[in-house]
Amino acid sequence: MELDDVDWKLLEILQTDGRITFTELARRVSLSAPATTERVRRLEQAGVLTGYVAVVDHRRLGLPIEAIVRVRVRSLDTPRFRERVVPLAQVRDADHVTGDDCWLLRVVCRSTQELEEFVEHAQRFGDTTTSLVFSSPVRTRPVTRETSDGIVFR
Amino acid sequence: MELDDVDWKLLEILQTDGRITFTELARRVSLSAPATTERVRRLEQAGVLTGYVAVVDHRRLGLPIEAIVRVRVRSLDTPRFRERVVPLAQVRDADHVTGDDCWLLRVVCRSTQELEEFVEHAQRFGDTTTSLVFSSPVRTRPVTRETSDGIVFR
DNA sequence: ATTGAAATCGAACGCTC
DNA sequence: GAGCGTTCGATTTCAAT
């Protein structure tokens, strides 16, 4: 799919304010509402826009601990790891990646005790390395046209 | 803030469908529309709901490469790292964490060449370890009440 | 429960490639 | 002709009071 400036602008706005009305969206890109609606519909259709989600602050939900758990899963154990660890409720992101630490899990927990429990569980499938998250200066930065423009600041 | 079952249900729905109308939301939790709107407003007010965003598929935006770059930033270089690397357009997530690899960056790129460029840039501030993302079986799983219920499958 | 705003749809028309 | 956008009116749905 070929995207023009207006499409990129729509994506940028929607990645920032996912609940904006089509009327306001149309105003922001200087198009009519029907044209705007149609473009968004096409972006959804093309699989560029895959959904809309509310963002929550886990710390205000009784889950003050956030950690990245890297797991060096033994290859034979991978299917069981997918079944027994990836689906755990604490796991917010699970990435299968290249390299020695072949899985990266972002988990949130009620307490360090619960994190310990989680890590012990994960360790049944391979060695783990756990890092507590101090802060996340960037969380889900919007993808924009400049993202593929080389080394560019935002 | 004290959350009841309905609040949790609202959060769960909104984390799945961020553009649902209040009318439909009300129907799904068996409340009146005004009561539902008021609850959502309170969750926003309390900082539990922090925003709404569209989710995009970077691969359909000319950015097929996704990687996790761990950077062992020398502590004296941290301010410059924050200024010169964290703001780069390719960075979608940046987490400051405990441990030797004190920064974790999720980056998207047009090509491995661009990734190489990025990593070389980051390396000015410390040693790096880069992992390509094969797949992400879980991306931003909703936080639910059971998230803090111990080892529970979802 | 009322009221204004927003979304949705169809039809007709113009512009450009 | 195909694709895209605009305007208008009519209707329905939604949000706010």
Side-chain angles (χ1 to χ4, degrees), chain B residues 80-151:
Chain B
R80 264 162 299 171
F81 181 81
R82 284 183 185 273
E83 280 171 27
R84 320 253 325 246
V85 178
V86 172
L88 292 176
Q90 289 83 2
V91 175
R92 298 215 65 201
D93 293 323
D95 295 290
H96 187 200
V97 302
T98 63
D100 281 344
D101 296 313
C102 45
W103 286 85
L104 287 173
L105 309 177
R106 179 187 299 270
V107 303
V108 293
C109 293
R110 209 173 16 175
S111 61
T112 51
Q113 283 73 19
E114 189 179 287
L115 178 59
E116 179 181 22
E117 223 184 304
F118 181 93
V119 171
E120 281 172 358
H121 191 77
Q123 267 170 346
R124 300 172 57 191
F125 304 90
D127 293 337
T128 61
T129 305
T130 301
S131 305
L132 287 179
V133 176
F134 284 138
S135 63
S136 303
V138 181
R139 277 316 300 273
T140 319
R141 173 142 58 209
V143 176
T144 69
R145 190 163 231 185
E146 307 93 68
T147 303
S148 46
D149 273 358
I151 302 295

Side-chain angles (χ1 to χ4, degrees), chain B residues 10-102:
Chain B
L10 291 172
L11 291 175
E12 195 173 334
I13 295 170
L14 285 168
Q15 284 177 276
T16 300
D17 179 3
R19 273 188 81 85
I20 191 172
T21 64
F22 287 114
T23 309
E24 173 64 9
L25 196 51
R27 203 190 58 71
R28 301 264 290 271
V29 298
S30 309
L31 280 188
S32 71
T36 304
T37 307
E38 179 57 17
R39 276 181 183 256
V40 173
R41 204 196 56 73
R42 272 209 307 276
L43 290 166
E44 291 168 351
Q45 201 82 29
V48 173
L49 281 168
T50 60
Y52 303 88
V53 299
V55 181
V56 302
D57 182 348
H58 60 86
R59 293 162 300 178
R60 306 216 181 184
L61 289 170
L63 300 157
I65 308 296
E66 183 176 8
I68 307 293
V69 180
R70 310 204 305 261
V71 193
R72 191 169 183 157
V73 179
R74 296 173 288 271
S75 56
L76 273 176
D77 287 330
T78 298
R80 264 162 299 171
F81 181 81
R82 284 183 185 273
E83 280 171 27
R84 320 253 325 246
V85 178
V86 172
L88 292 176
Q90 289 83 2
V91 175
R92 298 215 65 201
D93 293 323
D95 295 290
H96 187 200
V97 302
T98 63
D100 281 344
D101 296 313
C102 45

